[in-house]
Amino acid sequence: MGWWRRSEMAAAVWTALLLSMSGLVGVRSDAADHRYMEGDQVPLYANKVGPFHNPSETYRYFDLPFCTPDHVKEKSEALGEVLNGDRLVSAPFKLDFMKDKESEVVCKKRLTKDEVAQFRSAVMKDYYFQMYYDDLPIWGFIGKVDREGKDPSKYNYFLYKHVHFDVFYNGDRVIEINVRTDPDALVDVTEDKETNVEFLYTVKWKETDTPFEKRMDKYSQSSSLPHHLEIHWFSIINSCVTVLLLTGFLATILMRVLKNDFVKYAHDEESVEDAEETGWKYIHGDVFRYPKYKSLFAAALGSGTQLFTLAIFIFVLALVGVFYPYNRGALFTALVVIYALTSGIAGYTATSFYCQLEGTNWIRNLLFTGCLFCGPLFLTFCFLNTVAIVYTATAALPFGTIMVIVLIWTLVTSPLLVLGGIAGKNSKSEFQAPCRTTKYPREIPQLPWYRSTIPQMAMAGFLPFSAIYIELYYIFASVWGHRIYTIYSILFIVFIILLIVTAFITVALTYFQLAAEDHEWWWRSFLCGGSTGLFIYAYCLYYYHARSDMSGFMQTSFFFGYMACICYGFFLMLGSIGFRAALLFVRHIYRSIKCE
């Protein structure tokens, strides 16, 4: 039996290593099994403090002059937790299992003028604190503002000095914890003067029937309340109506028009007389002429395909329950790891398509592909990380974490990109064009202004955006606020609707473009498909000014900087979807007629 035990131990060690590396298990306590005896020390970690309305602007808990323990123990964190700005350290409170405490003294401290000013500034900005007790998140405000007078110069600022913890247990497990502050135990920090303060805390243990497996349910129930679900379902019904109207429009108008076109062109071929050359059939010699800047076009298609694959994998993980509430570090870990592992898809798609377009410099195309999304993201990160360092915020990544990301990019992303590129180059697939391309391009007739690229992009982006804008608010309130979002199934349905509407509207606009004898549809279909990303960024401006209370240079730069990268990613992903749909449509209609 020795070999069996050794293999069990080895399996356990490898499992622990994988869990600690993956970060998909979220913030984990030292007591991994979450079982305690009476009097056992339950891990309590202080995470961060920051202005309530600026979720990106967070600082270490002990950046404020709270009572500091003799030995501050920093918890080792996974990659996703560091990217999320989590910096867990041992808290000054001791909440031993099933041990009640009444007005226990944390420390007695004399606050200097600078420390009083620091606390006043924090209270003025609505600072909150966040902690983790046995992996359960707790949070509360550090003080309050007395706004009795209308003149801000007459406001009074108070610091809470007594914290109450209500802990619920079931058997040998912690089920729930709530924190509240004593509204009568206050320290006046309005004036710059030295103050004596005694920080206290009270712990009350209560029994509950809630099973351990359901202890995280209360955090996800807020987004599943009936009135919230009604809004989400209204969003889906609104989107479905949009899709049905659009598909109905396409099915009736396009099919009828195409049928008439096919009859007309068949009649023209049988007719002896020379018919006047008009419509999409007569540009068959130009419609499959390769686009300008084909290396950049193939790179954009490859990057968009990779981001689409990334989105699908993220949805799969979300639907199987990996991203439960307050496990947000898991999302960042998943994004980094899956993006690295899917880079081969970008390399293969871009290089194979570039070679189909008879491109020769595939290495340059591969460099384009590798830098097209990562380049702007890296530049944005460098700027925003510098801002976070200046602010000494927890959003500033440590040097070690940056090196880990660089190593992932160097040892995983780049080799897979190159391997995908080599496979794409050797695929030897030819571009399937139903019609031969003429030697000289046909002149495009003069078209009205509304048929130019910018108005067409505006028309193409509006419908897909209208299908998702209601759901966007909840996503923004979750990512850039404190609302919890857990209804991933509804989000996935909205995502599918977004893809369908994007594909259909791009096909419709491509048909009208070809009917006007404009054969330069390649870039137009990509730009029209991706234009929803520009609408989402425009929504960012509206959300920032009308729906949020964010302020300050750091939060503003983080919001608009990272949202620019996200919207750019949407542009590439939806652009590739739009082009693929348009390519299928164009191939289909030109295969249905006899090309001379």
Side-chain angles (χ1 to χ4, degrees):
M1 294 295 288
W3 65 272
W4 175 253
R5 287 184 178 176
R6 282 196 296 272
S7 63
E8 272 190 330
M9 288 176 64
V13 170
W14 274 109
T15 304
L17 279 171
L18 285 170
L19 287 174
S20 65
M21 289 171 65
S22 69
L24 294 181
V25 292
V27 180
R28 288 291 172 210
S29 67
D30 295 334
D33 60 353
H34 302 284
R35 293 184 182 276
Y36 306 98
M37 302 288 288
E38 185 175 343
D40 282 356
Q41 184 177 342
V42 184
L44 173 63
Y45 290 105
N47 187 12
K48 52 193 176 185
V49 294
F52 183 75
H53 299 295
N54 290 356
S56 299
E57 187 185 341
T58 54
Y59 304 94
R60 291 176 179 270
Y61 182 79
F62 291 116
D63 283 354
L64 289 178
F66 289 116
C67 299
T68 309
D70 296 333
H71 303 288
V72 177
K73 177 188 171 188
E74 292 198 6
K75 183 183 180 296
S76 58
E77 293 166 323
L79 175 63
E81 293 171 330
V82 179
L83 292 175
N84 192 42
D86 292 330
R87 303 291 186 272
L88 273 69
V89 295
S90 52
F93 313 105
K94 301 297 180 190
L95 278 64
D96 297 332
F97 192 69
M98 293 177 63
K99 289 289 185 183
D100 286 355
K101 293 183 179 180
E102 187 67 44
S103 300
E104 187 86 5
V105 177
V106 183
C107 75
K108 295 178 180 179
K109 190 170 184 178
R110 184 169 181 81
L111 298 177
T112 64
K113 290 181 180 179
D114 289 340
E115 289 174 337
V116 168
Q118 198 175 351
F119 271 127
R120 183 175 64 251
S121 174
V123 172
M124 193 185 301
K125 295 175 183 175
D126 282 332
Y127 265 50
Y128 71 99
F129 64 84
Q130 188 194 29
M131 298 182 182
Y132 282 96
Y133 183 66
D134 192 42
D135 292 350
L136 294 170
I138 50 177
W139 55 92
F141 288 98
I142 68 164
K144 71 171 186 176
V145 183
D146 186 359
R147 295 183 170 89
E148 284 187 4
K150 292 185 178 180
D151 186 0
S153 63
K154 295 180 180 178
Y155 288 174
N156 292 317
Y157 302 95
F158 298 98
L159 178 70
Y160 294 126
K161 65 176 183 177
H162 194 169
V163 181
H164 291 260
F165 295 98
D166 295 316
V167 192
F168 297 84
Y169 69 96
N170 186 349
D172 58 355
R173 291 178 176 240
V174 177
I175 302 300
E176 183 180 345
I177 181 168
N178 297 316
V179 65
R180 54 193 171 85
T181 45
D182 189 341
D184 299 321
L186 301 170
V187 180
D188 193 341
V189 291
T190 308
E191 298 178 7
D192 284 338
K193 63 179 181 180
E194 293 188 356
T195 307
N196 290 316
V197 58
E198 186 179 47
F199 288 101
L200 308 167
Y201 71 103
T202 296
V203 185
K204 296 290 183 187
W205 286 84
K206 301 172 185 176
E207 196 167 4
T208 180
D209 296 329
T210 307
F212 178 80
E213 293 74 22
K214 293 186 176 180
R215 69 175 191 159
M216 298 301 289
D217 286 1
K218 79 166 199 172
Y219 303 107
S220 58
Q221 282 169 356
S222 61
S223 60
S224 305
L225 293 173
H227 65 280
H228 283 306
L229 282 175
E230 283 176 13
I231 297 170
H232 288 295
W233 282 114
F234 172 76
S235 167
I236 285 188
I237 292 167
N238 168 61
S239 304
C240 286
V241 168
T242 305
V243 171
L244 287 173
L245 288 174
L246 189 60
T247 50
F249 165 77
L250 283 173
T252 54
I253 304 298
L254 278 185
M255 296 311 293
R256 182 177 295 175
V257 169
L258 281 171
K259 187 178 178 182
N260 292 339
D261 285 349
F262 289 143
V263 170
K264 174 175 171 285
Y265 295 144
H267 176 73
D268 287 349
E269 286 169 3
E270 293 167 5
S271 175
V272 181
E273 299 173 5
D274 255 354
E276 184 187 351
E277 294 196 352
T278 57
W280 55 266
K281 192 252 183 181
Y282 296 105
I283 57 169
H284 63 79
D286 296 284
V287 77
F288 293 105
R289 189 178 305 281
Y290 300 147
K292 298 174 182 176
Y293 315 112
K294 55 189 175 185
S295 182
L296 180 61
F297 186 83
L301 193 63
S303 296
T305 307
Q306 179 189 5
L307 293 170
F308 173 68
T309 311
L310 171 67
I312 295 297
F313 273 111
I314 291 295
F315 271 115
V316 169
L317 290 177
L319 292 171
V320 298
V322 171
F323 307 131
Y324 57 83
Y326 294 99
N327 188 21
R328 289 166 72 174
L331 177 60
F332 288 104
T333 305
L335 285 170
V336 171
V337 172
I338 296 173
Y339 183 83
L341 294 176
T342 54
S343 58
I345 294 173
Y348 178 83
T349 306
T351 310
S352 62
F353 194 76
Y354 178 66
C355 292
Q356 285 180 31
L357 300 184
E358 299 175 5
T360 52
N361 197 344
W362 67 276
I363 295 176
R364 186 185 66 176
N365 173 247
L366 210 54
L367 288 173
F368 263 145
T369 308
C371 298
L372 196 63
F373 181 71
C374 282
L377 181 63
F378 175 72
L379 293 174
T380 305
F381 164 75
C382 288
F383 170 71
L384 295 179
N385 204 56
T386 305
V387 171
I389 290 170
V390 171
Y391 273 73
T392 65
T394 59
L397 294 191
F399 179 73
T401 306
I402 295 173
M403 289 309 298
V404 167
I405 294 173
V406 169
L407 284 173
I408 290 173
W409 192 83
T410 308
L411 301 178
V412 181
T413 309
S414 299
L416 286 176
L417 183 74
V418 172
L419 286 173
I422 293 170
K425 175 182 172 289
N426 295 330
S427 62
K428 305 290 184 185
S429 56
E430 294 182 0
F431 185 75
Q432 302 296 320
C435 305
R436 285 196 302 271
T437 303
T438 56
K439 191 173 182 181
Y440 300 105
R442 186 188 184 96
E443 186 180 352
I444 298 171
Q446 187 72 30
L447 297 172
W449 66 269
Y450 56 84
R451 285 190 178 273
S452 59
T453 304
I454 301 298
Q456 294 284 297
M457 285 175 67
M459 291 168 61
F462 177 74
L463 265 176
F465 175 76
S466 67
I468 64 168
Y469 81 97
I470 295 176
E471 209 66 25
L472 269 184
Y473 166 73
Y474 289 96
I475 297 166
F476 273 56
S478 174
V479 176
W480 300 105
H482 302 281
R483 188 186 290 268
I484 299 169
Y485 191 98
T486 55
I487 318 176
Y488 299 116
S489 53
I490 288 181
L491 185 61
F492 184 64
I493 295 170
V494 172
F495 179 70
I496 297 298
I497 291 170
L498 171 66
L499 298 181
I500 293 170
V501 177
T502 300
F504 280 167
I505 196 70
T506 309
V507 165
L509 291 174
T510 301
Y511 170 77
F512 293 132
Q513 182 183 354
L514 296 177
E517 298 181 31
D518 181 356
H519 53 78
E520 293 180 348
W521 62 275
W522 299 69
W523 273 110
R524 178 76 64 85
S525 63
F526 192 95
L527 294 172
C528 286
S531 59
T532 307
L534 302 178
F535 275 81
I536 296 174
Y537 199 68
Y539 180 81
C540 292
L541 295 168
Y542 163 75
Y543 180 84
Y544 180 84
H545 290 290
R547 304 302 294 269
S548 80
D549 294 312
M550 289 186 273
S551 60
F553 178 73
M554 178 184 166
Q555 181 61 43
T556 304
S557 58
F558 264 68
F559 178 73
F560 286 108
Y562 280 127
M563 281 312 301
C565 292
I566 292 169
C567 294
Y568 176 54
F570 264 94
F571 175 81
L572 292 173
M573 180 183 74
L574 295 176
S576 63
I577 295 293
F579 169 72
R580 291 289 188 190
L583 181 61
L584 282 171
F585 171 75
V586 172
R587 277 179 176 159
H588 175 73
I589 63 171
Y590 281 95
R591 200 176 281 127
S592 303
I593 62 170
K594 294 178 182 177
C595 297
E596 295 154 4

